[in-house]
Amino acid sequence: MKDWMNLVDAVQLGGWVIYPLSLLAIVAIAIVVDRSYVFARFARRPGANLSAPVTADASPGAIVEAFDSLPAEHVFRRLSEPLERQPSVPFWYREAKTEVIASAIERDMSRGFWVLETIVTAAPLLGLLGTIVGMMHSFQLFGASGLVNPGGVTGGVAQSLVATAVGLVVALFSLFAFNYFSRRLERLMDELEAFANERLSGVRLASETGGDTP
């Protein structure tokens, strides 16, 4: 309890800069929670029972049936729509539609990334601003005749150090989160590309062998 009270006192020393830094921290945490849920629910890799239909010899409609157990907004289910074999749909349209859906998926899954990237830059700058304000307050306590209030000087220095520390903590948290989700999105897009290429190759092969008329 004492340690918690010391933490609260230290935050109070940071001055007004702590308030925007706290807001940035709350926004960063909200984005991390939201993206964690989205990636866990809508971007998980299909299990072994769903990987079987993803072959060149899949029957018409098998792709949609295989992904019925996934949420409607699941990325693999969204991408499977133009990959279902339909004799009336030409191959070039399926290929173009797949690229459009893949771009939309990447945009949807990266929602909020720019905010995390902005916080990575803004939080240290706000902390630096708090440092400057605290040091200015400390130097103002020096009079023409020398040091006037030693306690006030040390309080201003403490304020500047707390603001800097909080800014760095918020920036580091946002940086790690941004890098983690960026890497996860990159792996997801690689998986989607491999999935789409495999299905499009199967459709092309069936078309060339007369099994499907694009």
Side-chain angles (χ1 to χ4, degrees):
M1 183 66 180
K2 183 178 180 181
D3 293 338
W4 174 254
M5 293 302 298
N6 291 336
L7 178 61
V8 173
D9 293 338
V11 171
Q12 291 177 348
L13 281 175
W16 64 269
V17 179
I18 296 299
Y19 295 105
L21 285 175
S22 300
L23 178 61
L24 292 181
I26 293 174
V27 172
I29 293 174
I31 293 175
V32 169
V33 173
D34 175 71
R35 291 298 93 186
S36 298
Y37 172 79
V38 169
F39 274 94
R41 179 167 176 79
F42 302 114
R44 62 181 177 85
R45 296 183 61 181
N49 60 325
L50 296 180
S51 60
V54 187
T55 57
D57 56 351
S59 60
I63 298 296
V64 175
E65 295 175 2
F67 287 97
D68 278 344
S69 61
L70 297 176
E73 295 299 321
H74 196 283
V75 294
F76 281 94
R77 187 170 182 178
R78 290 171 60 183
L79 196 64
S80 68
E81 177 185 353
L83 302 178
E84 181 187 4
R85 293 184 182 176
Q86 301 176 14
S88 60
V89 179
F91 179 80
W92 63 265
Y93 176 81
R94 298 176 186 177
E95 191 173 21
K97 185 68 173 179
T98 301
E99 294 179 358
V100 172
I101 294 178
S103 299
I105 290 174
E106 185 175 12
R107 182 182 63 253
D108 294 341
M109 299 302 293
S110 63
R111 187 172 302 165
F113 284 15
W114 70 270
V115 180
L116 286 177
E117 192 174 12
T118 302
I119 293 176
V120 171
T121 304
L125 292 179
L126 280 174
L128 179 60
L129 178 61
T131 300
I132 295 175
V133 172
M135 296 304 294
M136 289 175 60
H137 176 72
S138 298
F139 285 123
Q140 286 177 352
L141 298 178
F142 284 93
S145 58
L147 188 62
V148 176
N149 187 355
V153 174
T154 57
V157 173
Q159 174 181 338
S160 65
L161 294 178
V162 168
T164 303
V166 173
L168 289 176
V169 169
V170 174
L172 287 174
F173 173 79
S174 302
L175 177 63
F176 288 138
F178 175 77
N179 288 339
Y180 169 76
F181 286 114
S182 296
R183 178 56 182 165
R184 191 167 181 181
L185 177 60
E186 183 180 347
R187 292 199 305 267
L188 174 64
M189 298 310 298
D190 289 340
E191 294 172 0
L192 291 176
E193 182 179 3
F195 168 76
N197 288 338
E198 184 176 1
R199 288 303 308 167
L200 288 173
S201 297
V203 173
R204 182 188 292 271
L205 178 61
S207 174
E208 293 177 352
T209 56
D212 188 7
T213 303

